[in-house]
Amino acid sequence: MAVPENIGKYEAFLDDVLRKELAERQRARDEAQEKVIECQKLVKHLTLIKDRRLEELEMMVNLGCEFYARATVEDCSRVSVETSFGFFLEMTLEEAIEFLPKKESYLEQRVKILNEQIVESKARITMFLNALSGMQGMHPEAPKPEKEWPEFWKVLHVHVLKNVIGAIRHLKWNVLSICL
């Protein structure tokens, strides 16, 4: 059986699919965590503006690359808040202070779900690596053999890898159909 030829395909699948999936989930989790922190800061600032009854506000605005410009907000009674998907909604201070904790709660749930998905991705990668190393005759749980692994062990790992790949593709299809 041509096991070494298949190993390249499995390693490519590991790099092209599983590790990219993990990186994407980690990026999405990090973005959601940043938005949670932004919500918390915004609630504090809006509460401060409301408590001090500020009508006008001077501030420094980051234009990019840490280049700042002085700005004046002439009417502090209304603010634009990002709801989701890049949509902004103009709200009064009270509405924004009431809305932001709900958004924060939603984002915290999203972070929790993404953390669970990251754990699943890492488990799949570990299982895949164990099967791949077993197929190559380097199973991590067994002591290094003096002889080559039996051919049936390598064949078994080929079937395990095929089943893992099939399960992952099936899961992706189910997730895609749920999202649509």
Side-chain angles (χ1 to χ4, degrees):
M1 180 170 192
V3 173
E5 294 172 10
N6 291 335
I7 291 175
K9 292 178 187 176
Y10 296 132
E11 288 174 345
F13 178 78
L14 176 68
D15 291 332
D16 296 342
V17 177
L18 296 178
R19 288 197 173 133
K20 283 185 181 178
E21 175 187 69
L22 176 63
E24 178 62 29
R25 288 177 174 177
Q26 288 172 332
R27 184 197 57 75
R29 183 215 37 212
D30 293 344
E31 285 178 4
Q33 285 176 331
E34 287 175 12
K35 286 185 178 186
V36 167
I37 293 169
E38 287 176 13
C39 283
Q40 293 167 347
K41 286 180 182 179
L42 189 55
V43 167
K44 286 180 185 177
H45 291 127
L46 293 177
T47 305
L48 183 66
I49 291 171
K50 181 182 170 193
D51 291 344
R52 292 190 180 177
R53 299 170 201 239
L54 296 176
E55 295 177 11
E56 193 173 283
L57 181 66
E58 287 189 17
M59 59 193 322
M60 298 296 285
V61 178
N62 188 354
L63 299 176
C65 297
E66 300 303 316
F67 185 74
Y68 290 86
R70 195 175 298 253
T72 303
V73 179
E74 295 175 359
D75 181 18
C76 293
S77 65
R78 300 186 72 75
V79 292
S80 293
V81 179
E82 181 184 7
T83 54
S84 62
F85 301 111
F87 290 103
F88 288 81
L89 187 62
E90 189 174 314
M91 301 179 183
T92 65
L93 292 176
E94 293 82 15
E95 291 171 338
I97 292 170
E98 183 181 331
F99 170 77
L100 287 169
K102 294 174 186 174
K103 180 179 178 182
E104 181 182 339
S105 173
Y106 165 76
L107 290 169
E108 287 172 347
Q109 283 290 356
R110 178 146 171 74
V111 167
K112 182 179 176 184
I113 290 169
L114 287 167
N115 279 332
E116 291 170 0
Q117 291 176 349
I118 287 170
V119 168
E120 289 173 7
S121 292
K122 287 181 178 180
R124 272 194 229 122
I125 289 172
T126 302
M127 183 175 63
F128 198 86
L129 286 172
N130 286 340
L132 190 61
S133 64
M135 190 172 80
Q136 293 173 331
M138 303 179 300
H139 200 277
E141 297 170 352
K144 277 211 163 203
E146 296 175 8
K147 298 179 182 177
E148 182 71 22
W149 282 89
E151 191 64 28
F152 76 89
W153 183 252
K154 291 180 182 178
V155 171
L156 174 69
H157 282 288
V158 168
H159 292 296
V160 168
L161 287 173
K162 287 181 180 177
N163 289 337
V164 168
I165 291 171
I168 290 170
R169 287 188 176 139
H170 178 72
L171 285 173
K172 281 190 170 188
W173 178 253
N174 285 343
V175 169
L176 181 63
S177 62
I178 289 170
C179 292
L180 295 176

